[in-house]
């Protein structure tokens, strides 16, 4: 079979290697998998909503018919109000109307579609270092050049973004920069949230450096509702006064159920049209039934209740993971550091430089032998990192992601214990 | 915003014009919309399945968690058996295993993904003349050249396919032909089903003319279960002994519910890997919940019951449409002809050549005035049609599609009556 250029560019996702390891060793504690907590998945809330929806024949049939490419109007209204509420303002304050709202199959579909309509091979996308490996795979499949911008515990570093853009200007490539991708809350993989004061700074840099109009910011706020200690900062989108710099995407996958896969995005008007045209060729609308179900759940309070439950569940697990790291890794390797996220599903661990963490390393293999799996830092870094000396979160060779999402609490703790033992053996 | 090449290639779907007309005139009877019958949508069956699934907490949670990119194993097994049963054989007879089965968001997602991994701008895809306009839009967005192959009441004409391929060989473009797309049952838009004896003939031509291996056949069998008069022929896939010529795609959208949007495909092994890689960048798996729900519906008999109900509902509406055409159009315009489908949702009408049907024609405008809408034939034909003299279904200028899917029976009849009146006025 002769594949297209796109077909040939598609690589294997590196995490597939981890999935294969996990499949071969089902007894292993995977702190690699980014799945959500199993026990708290909202079967009861979903059942109530499905019963309410389907026992009204007219409403049930409307949900089972085709919808529109943009998505169910009622849910689009609800998510617009919801985002404004999270930003402690009104939709008008965000200069957003219903025409800016799109429903997608998870936020991943938006990441793919937006990238596809913007990126030609050789175009540049800036990402955090480290950043979300699935999206980096998506970018690679489009032939994008991925350039990393260093981060620290307070997220993307504006000075490092400025230096990276200056470097690209010097090399004559500034006009190839199509966007900055930023997971702005409890980032995957590092768990960090970009600090409030940095948010307008990042925007200002993108607007200043853009040659014909601002450089686009793709703000992925998938984890914003999973903040376990009070209210997190407003979105970067909130600070985008012109409304044309930021695309904001969110999802119900983490905060309710990934099995329903309902995501949503707020797009500047000039991007809505090409994204809708592309979506028309993908599926002419994400599953309508799921959108009606989520609307019911937002209206009947089931969604809000579930978010409250999840915060409690995950906070307990996050604190257990941090305590286990303190107790065992702190003893096994006093130089090790790790992030202390305000929410999300991930903790980022930085080991001393002499301890290699890659998927062929001694540490990785010892961990698998002991029955624990992590995501090596190597999967989370782009190839290009011009300002790497600014990095506050370590480099690809000696870092790793731990996820406390899917494992029950006692296995999170036991997984960290095994991991620390493996580190100790290398000491 | 500077769009990518892909972004710039994306055109407006011509049917959006029809949707706008319908939105401006809500009282209008749309025989254009390809939606399914509203009253028979299976709210009750879906409710029972949702209750069974979600009232078992473990099963409910499994459905609400992430799934895999390929889709839920149990449903993949069920659809494999289901296709074999429709082909009156076993999966082994089809030389297919679970590794060949992929679940998608409707069959449209498969059409898009398969095309994306195969087609570079300038590559050629053969389609029927007429054919499914949404897929032609997808092909255009990839920069494909779309070449039409004439059809008659018995579907794609093998001699015309042979001549088209011979013409492409003469013009030195045979090696650019990537695939033939064929909606093999109750085709959208013409309603025709490719005759049993033509199925192996088409395959043989694709295998004979392919330069390095057979030319791929994308068999879209979305309407195969909506056959209202006994068993339709076996799939073209059934005749593909090597198993590497045909990709077969089906969906539950027409036969159960488009709001659930669960489609499935049977792919040769060498295509599964690149399609999965692409799907990994689109959504890393279609909604898992919907897949679990469809598995429950296949196991509890709800799906089979619904298909039986639909056959009855649609047969009645099809027969009413044909009778109305006979009664009113036959009188208004004795030279008019139309197809007599064995199922599906569409009837194709061919008017005398002097009656133009395009979206700016007098007929179209008179129909809108009278409150009825059709899909003009112009939307259903590719630009290139080298063997057009063989066409048995008319040309783009004087044909149209009528759909009896979503309108209630009395409005189907009234719509045809209004349409015939508009034709009569032109006479």
């Amino acid at each position: 079979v002769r594949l297209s250029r796109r077909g040939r560019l598609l690589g294997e996702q590196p995490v597939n290697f981890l999935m294969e390891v996990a499949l071969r060793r089902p007894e292993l504690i995977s702190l690699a998998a980014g799945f959500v907590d199993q026990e708290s998945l909202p079967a009861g809330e979903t059942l109530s909503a499905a019963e309410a929806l389907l026992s009204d024949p007219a409403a049930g049939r409307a949900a089972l018919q085709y919808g529109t490419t943009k998505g169910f109007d009622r849910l689009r209204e609800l998510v617009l109000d919801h985002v404004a509420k999270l930003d402690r303002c009104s939709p008008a304050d965000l200069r957003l109307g219903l025409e800016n709202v799109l429903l997608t199959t998870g936020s991943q579909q938006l990441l793919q579609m937006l990238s596809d309509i913007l990126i030609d091979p050789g175009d540049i996308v800036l990402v955090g270092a480290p950043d979300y490996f699935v999206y980096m795979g998506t970018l690679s499949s489009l032939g994008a050049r991925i350039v990393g911008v260093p981060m620290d515990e307070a997220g993307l570093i504006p000075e490092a973004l400025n230096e990276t853009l200056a470097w690209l200007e010097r090399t004559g490539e500034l006009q190839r920069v199509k966007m900055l991708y930023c997971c702005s809350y409890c980032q995957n993989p590092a768990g960090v949230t970009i600090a409030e004061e940095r948010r307008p700074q990042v925007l200002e840099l993108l607007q200043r450096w853009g040659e014909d109009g601002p450089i686009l910011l793709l703000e992925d706020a998938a984890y914003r509702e999973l903040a376990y200690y009070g209210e997190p900062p407003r979105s970067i989108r909130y600070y985008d006064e012109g409304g044309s710099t930021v695309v904001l995407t969110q999802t119900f996958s983490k905060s309710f159920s990934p099995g329903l896969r309902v995501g949503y995005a707020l797009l500047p008007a000039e991007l809505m049209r090409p994204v809708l045209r592309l979506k028309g060729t993908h599926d002419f609308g994400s599953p309508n039934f799921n959108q009606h179900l989520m609307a019911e759940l937002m209206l009947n309070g089931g969604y809000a209740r579930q978010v409250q439950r999840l915060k409690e569940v995950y906070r307990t697990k996050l604190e257990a993971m941090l305590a286990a790291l303190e107790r065992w890794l702190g003893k096994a390797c006093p130089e090790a550091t790790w992030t202390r996220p305000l929410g999300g599903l991930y903790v980022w661990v930085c080991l001393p430089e002499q301890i290699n963490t890659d998927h062929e390393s001694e540490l990785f293999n010892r961990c698998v032998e002991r029955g624990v799996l992590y995501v090596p830092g190597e999967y989370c870094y782009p190839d290009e990192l011009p300002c790497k000396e600014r990095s506050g979160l370590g480099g690809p060779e000696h870092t790793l992601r731990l996820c406390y999402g899917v494992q029950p609490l006692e296995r999170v703790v036991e997984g960290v214990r095994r991991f620390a033992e493996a580190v100790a053996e290398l000491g």
Side-chain angles (χ1 to χ4, degrees), chain A residues 41-52 256-257 260 289 293-294 297:
Chain A
L41 279 162
E45 296 289 3
T46 308
L47 177 58
S48 307
E51 283 174 338
F256 193 80
S257 157
L260 295 175
F289 179 72
L293 211 51
M294 282 312 311
L297 284 156

Side-chain angles (χ1 to χ4, degrees), chain A residues 42-94:
Chain A
E45 296 289 3
T46 308
L47 177 58
S48 307
E51 283 174 338
L53 183 61
L54 292 164
S55 61
D56 171 346
R61 286 182 216 134
L64 293 170
Q65 183 59 277
Y66 281 105
T68 64
T69 308
K70 275 186 182 174
F72 180 38
D73 283 348
R74 190 75 188 91
L75 184 58
R76 290 166 61 232
E77 287 164 15
L78 288 164
V79 299
L80 179 59
D81 288 345
H82 182 63
V83 169
K85 204 172 143 205
L86 292 172
D87 274 331
R88 310 189 274 286
C89 69
S90 73
D93 293 329
L94 293 171

Side-chain angles (χ1 to χ4, degrees), chain A residues 149-161 180 182 184 192-206 217 219 233-236 239 390-393:
Chain A
V149 179
M151 308 202 307
D152 60 21
E153 275 265 2
L156 203 78
I157 304 169
E159 295 75 14
L161 174 60
L180 166 68
C182 181
S184 54
V192 303
T193 295
I194 179 167
E196 189 152 9
E197 66 276 13
R198 289 185 179 182
R199 293 176 179 236
Q201 292 167 9
V202 165
L203 263 185
E204 194 273 323
L205 286 168
L206 295 175
L217 173 65
E219 181 177 17
R234 290 180 166 104
S235 67
I236 307 180
Y239 298 97
R390 282 204 172 261
S391 180
L393 296 174

Side-chain angles (χ1 to χ4, degrees), chain A residues 122-126 145 161-179 205-215:
Chain A
D123 282 343
I124 296 169
V125 177
L126 305 175
R145 265 182 68 192
L161 174 60
N162 191 43
E163 283 173 28
T164 303
L165 289 163
W167 176 79
L168 287 163
E169 189 187 41
R170 283 198 305 279
T171 60
E173 298 163 310
L174 190 60
Q175 80 284 3
R176 296 303 298 264
V177 178
K178 279 294 175 79
M179 63 165 124
L205 286 168
L206 295 175
Q207 287 162 351
R208 177 143 54 86
W209 282 99
E211 297 207 324
D212 16 80
I215 295 167

